[in-house]
Amino acid sequence: MTTIQHLVARSCRRGQFNSVFNSAGRSKRFFSNHVSNTLNSATILPKPRLDYRAISESIVLKSHNAFNRKFPLPVGALQSIVRSYAEQKETSSQLDAKRHARSILGDRIHTIKDPSEKQVVLTEAKILKAEITQLEDKLAAIEEALLGLALHLPNDTHPDVPIGPEDAATILSTHGPPPIPPSTNRDHVTLGRALRLFDFEAGALVTGSSWYYLRGDAAFLENALTNYAISIALKHGFEFVMTPDVVRADIARRCGFQPRDHNSDNPVSQMYHIAESHPELVLSGTAEIPIGGMFANRIFVENTLPVKVVGFGRSFRAEAGARGADTRGLYRVHQFSKVELFVVCEEDASAHFLEEIRQVQTEIFEGLGIPFRILDMPTEELGASAYRKYDVEAWMPGRGTWGEISSTSNCTDYQARRLHIRYRRPAPSQSPLSTCDSSHSQVTVPFAHTLNGTAAAIPRLIIALLENGVRFSDDGKPTAIDLPVILKPFWLGTSDLVRWV
């Protein structure tokens, strides 16, 4: 049974069957808006190569996958893909026949001696040329519309992924000391102000709400956490890179992120655009995007995969959110530092590397001595690119709840098809079987699989360490912070506030 068939069977058992199909069919308004926004943005890469045949042969299963993920599809999108794909094949066949006929006419022209007969053939060739041009234009329009529709589909979903919303997540393991009782006295915002670690007021004055300054030991802690996480990744064979914080919006889109689109009827505000003078550029939402882009349009030679990278970058999020417990203080901000793990591997190895990234993350967080747990996230929590996703949550007693500090996603070939990341198989394994593109040409260079995972999302780790490690005086005032001694080699300067444990 295929991955999607598993999801269909399980969703039917749970009474969740609900087709995304709608008889309204293809919407011209959707075509014009989406194709324009998706394909006409500045790009230097070829168009994504999606598997239209696989989609057409499993539209019911694709529909269930989208439903289980609560993924909004345009009305009639799947049926339109089927119709457009059939139309593409028919038009392509007609075009091939016309081109073949033109080739035959060309050969005839060179052998004809009679001028009148030659003129007749030249007239036929002229008519044929016009028909070919018309078919080429028609095929280009069909392919553009087909791609615009197919880009709306999310990745498939691993059969073991729980179905449902966030509370359907499965706890895979728990780590660290037992959680201490919740206490508002441990709220990181209150502690940070009392210990002069944060300055939210200056951040709001200089930039706006959800911007901040880290001061003194909090700034030292960011540096220590960054270098500590990188050191663990290096020990596991990851190569360190510093990424640009500005990327093309097209690269972000191909990675599965939706930058703000001012031409859309319903603008999405995940990322910041640079300025009107550079509308094609956005501030990166995560180092995953520039790292993925680093491998775009590449074919890896035999036996060079996997490639494992740990990158450091600033992450910019325009949708930090309204005020509330989930956005208080450092928990959800517009800018933060992040250490990111990224793997490019062969298509049959991504499940293994998902577990390897999870092990690296576990080592990093166990070294910090905080209570945390690892969850297998359910369908409604998967982003467009994720086939399976693990989240790591740390206990934050000041917030009185678990808070996400990390995630790991296996994106299979979702990003690779859009970014054109492929590899050559070792000679003994070469086969005519290949991933399918729109022309069904047989290839010997399949698409790679990509994975990403957070090694350290700095502000949330600061929350967890501060709320779990704060020390109080007899009269209840915060006086010191217990930090894991594993960070001491990465600490700059001296501190009367920090106690190494």
Side-chain angles (χ1 to χ4, degrees), residues 81 124 239:
I81 290 173
E124 289 181 24
E239 177 192 357

Side-chain angles (χ1 to χ4, degrees), residues 228-249:
Y228 162 66
I230 292 170
S231 74
I232 300 297
L234 294 177
K235 186 176 73 173
H236 288 273
F238 285 77
E239 177 192 357
F240 180 48
V241 300
M242 294 288 288
T243 67
D245 293 330
V246 177
V247 297
R248 294 179 186 271

Side-chain angles (χ1 to χ4, degrees), residues 273-281:
H273 279 263
I274 300 300
E276 290 184 4
S277 58
H278 297 284
E280 77 281 7
L281 298 178

Side-chain angles (χ1 to χ4, degrees), residues 137-269:
D137 292 342
K138 179 182 178 181
L139 183 61
I142 293 169
E143 289 178 342
E144 183 174 296
L146 181 57
L147 177 60
L149 281 167
L151 285 173
H152 270 280
L153 299 180
N155 200 352
D156 291 340
T157 306
H158 191 283
D160 292 340
V161 169
I163 294 176
E166 184 177 6
D167 58 12
T170 301
I171 298 176
L172 299 176
S173 59
T174 57
H175 305 261
I180 61 180
S183 171
T184 55
N185 292 335
R186 292 177 175 270
D187 170 60
H188 77 280
V189 176
T190 303
L191 296 176
R193 288 193 175 116
L195 299 174
R196 295 176 57 81
L197 298 174
F198 318 136
D199 195 334
F200 296 105
E201 290 74 20
L205 176 66
V206 171
T207 312
S209 176
S210 297
W211 300 82
Y212 59 95
Y213 286 84
L214 296 181
R215 304 180 57 177
D217 288 330
F220 288 138
L221 181 54
E222 167 160 324
N223 284 335
L225 285 168
T226 299
N227 289 321
Y228 162 66
I230 292 170
S231 74
I232 300 297
L234 294 177
K235 186 176 73 173
H236 288 273
F238 285 77
E239 177 192 357
F240 180 48
V241 300
M242 294 288 288
T243 67
D245 293 330
V246 177
V247 297
R248 294 179 186 271
D250 178 63
I251 296 292
R253 228 177 249 113
R254 289 172 188 256
C255 288
F257 293 82
Q258 289 298 320
R260 183 190 297 110
D261 193 335
H262 297 291
N263 297 320
S264 171
D265 290 338
N266 184 24
V268 179
S269 299

